[in-house]
């Protein structure tokens, strides 16, 4: 079973940056397809960025050019670098793994962007 722990959330002013981290354990890390999702109050959870089985990373239109997903296989960690943050980026951010046919979620980390 894959265990995911997110960190790096917080309060930032509009235009600022944050880097989220998601540490994975309990699996062969390189076999995880990892991604980030977010859920704002009163809204459904939505995709932010994710690796695909084809090797590409896809991004939501709302974050293209501002957010970057990367991974460090040596540290079993995936990152989400978030730049030029906007108040509408405020949400709980979740890390998700697809591993050997199953899906796993982290507990989430809060990101709040003030105007």
């Amino acid at each position: 079973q894959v265990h995911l722990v997110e960190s790096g959330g917080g309060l930032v002013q509009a235009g600022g940056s944050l880097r989220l981290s998601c540490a994975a354990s309990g699996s062969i890390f390189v076999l995880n397809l990892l991604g980030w999702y977010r859920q704002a109050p009163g809204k459904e959870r939505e995709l932010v960025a994710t690796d695909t089985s084809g090797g590409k990373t896809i991004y939501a239109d709302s974050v293209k050019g501002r957010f970057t997903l990367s991974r460090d296989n040596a540290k079993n960690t995936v990152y989400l670098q978030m730049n030029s943050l906007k108040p509408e980026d405020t949400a709980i951010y979740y890390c998700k793994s697809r591993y050997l046919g199953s899906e796993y979620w982290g507990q989430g980390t809060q990101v709040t962007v003030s105007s």
Side-chain angles (χ1 to χ4, degrees), residues 14-104:
S17 298
L18 283 174
R19 188 177 78 158
L20 305 183
S21 301
C22 173
S25 60
S27 65
I28 302 172
F29 183 75
V30 295
L31 297 182
N32 284 269
L33 284 178
L34 293 161
W36 290 93
Y37 290 71
R38 68 186 181 187
Q39 188 166 16
K43 295 187 177 181
E44 294 187 352
R45 193 171 297 189
E46 63 177 4
L47 169 71
V48 177
T50 187
D51 284 338
T52 66
S53 57
K56 293 185 178 181
T57 302
I58 59 174
Y59 295 90
D61 287 343
S62 59
V63 307
K64 282 181 182 176
R66 300 188 298 122
F67 291 11
T68 303
L69 184 151
S70 63
R71 58 193 292 163
D72 185 335
N73 290 335
K75 295 183 177 180
N76 291 357
T77 301
V78 64
Y79 303 98
L80 184 68
Q81 178 66 44
M82 305 186 295
N83 299 326
S84 302
L85 283 160
K86 304 175 181 180
E88 52 263 43
D89 294 319
T90 295
I92 299 174
Y93 284 70
Y94 297 91
C95 179
K96 175 185 171 182
S97 166
R98 285 170 286 162
Y99 180 74
L100 300 180
S102 296
E103 294 184 349
Y104 303 90

